[in-house]
Amino acid sequence: MPQGYVRALDLPQVIPVFPLGGTILLPRGQLPLNIFEPRYLNMVDDAMAGDRIIGLIQPRGGNPAQPGLSPVGCAGRITSFAETSDGRYLITLTGVSRFRIAAELPSKAPYRQVRAAFDAYEDDLAPPPEEPDFDRHAFLDALRAYMTHRLLDIDWDTAETAPMEALVNSLSMALPFEPAEKQALLEAMGLMPRAEALTALLRIDAADAGDDAAPSIQ
């Protein structure tokens, strides 16, 4: 993480945004992206020539060609860049800070730009918090039930030892929740509220699986 980002005012106030449904970025999380649309290739070119900041945000309703935008997204910095032989860009965005859209701005560029308000999320710029009173055993029980239902697997040794923030944020980003559920995880005001929301989603999914398997009573 660049050391210059200490306060909300250190971040650019106008940023390009990349609308991507079902995908969130969280502070210090890493998101690999395959960029191929011309307008977003242009966006990456401009970002690489400047501060390398792009806002990742979920679309919300409206015209598919120009959808509405969710009120909160996360700004990420391009920390890895490669160009393929067929002209695609393979980049990694590393989460810097969440933001609320203050306004969408008219732009001559082919991509969309917003005025980003970072103030409410200035704590995202602080170092990772000390691990709070996190019931990892209960969390992993909920995760195992979810993964069994979804026929998924992870590195359980890592899950048992990873720092809480890395574990909770990486799962919030990676697991296939609905867009509205992803947005709720993004907008959780702190790490513990996000961990609690994630645990609830894992348990609800596993409970639904149990209900589907239960025989009906006539």
Side-chain angles (χ1 to χ4, degrees):
M1 179 77 58
Q3 295 301 308
Y5 300 137
V6 175
R7 303 172 303 155
L9 290 176
D10 295 329
L11 289 159
Q13 303 304 294
V14 175
I15 63 172
V17 289
F18 185 23
L20 194 58
T23 304
I24 59 171
L25 177 65
L26 288 164
R28 289 173 286 277
Q30 294 194 321
L31 180 67
L33 293 169
N34 177 11
I35 308 295
F36 54 87
E37 286 189 52
R39 57 180 166 169
Y40 296 126
L41 293 171
N42 189 173
M43 177 186 69
V44 171
D45 285 339
D46 290 348
M48 290 294 291
D51 49 36
R52 294 197 277 173
I53 293 289
I54 291 173
L56 198 287
I57 197 160
Q58 291 200 101
R60 188 173 70 169
N63 183 341
Q66 189 79 358
L69 299 175
S70 296
V72 175
C74 185
R77 190 168 188 269
I78 299 172
T79 52
S80 173
F81 172 91
E83 184 173 1
T84 67
S85 59
D86 59 357
R88 292 175 293 116
Y89 292 163
L90 305 178
I91 68 172
T92 298
L93 278 185
T94 297
V96 176
S97 174
R98 291 168 294 168
F99 63 89
R100 183 170 291 276
I101 294 178
E104 183 167 359
L105 304 176
S107 173
K108 294 181 180 179
Y111 50 86
R112 299 167 75 174
Q113 294 178 303
V114 303
R115 186 173 301 281
F118 292 99
D119 306 57
Y121 301 104
E122 196 164 51
D123 285 350
D124 289 351
L125 300 174
E130 292 185 11
E131 186 144 327
D133 186 14
F134 176 49
D135 189 343
R136 188 180 293 258
H137 180 75
F139 178 80
L140 291 178
D141 281 349
L143 181 60
R144 285 190 181 91
Y146 174 90
M147 301 297 269
T148 298
H149 170 220
R150 293 284 178 171
L151 303 179
L152 299 172
D153 198 12
I154 61 170
D155 182 340
W156 289 103
D157 289 339
T158 299
E160 290 171 359
T161 59
M164 178 188 173
E165 184 192 57
L167 178 63
V168 169
N169 285 0
S170 62
L171 290 171
S172 296
M173 290 171 55
L175 294 179
F177 296 121
E178 293 297 318
E181 296 168 335
K182 290 270 194 181
Q183 192 67 25
L185 292 169
L186 171 68
E187 295 187 28
M189 284 307 296
L191 183 57
M192 276 303 295
R194 181 174 301 120
E196 291 164 0
L198 177 57
T199 303
L201 289 173
L202 296 172
R203 287 174 173 162
I204 289 168
D205 189 275
D208 288 345
D211 290 344
D212 292 343
S216 60
I217 298 176
Q218 301 296 328

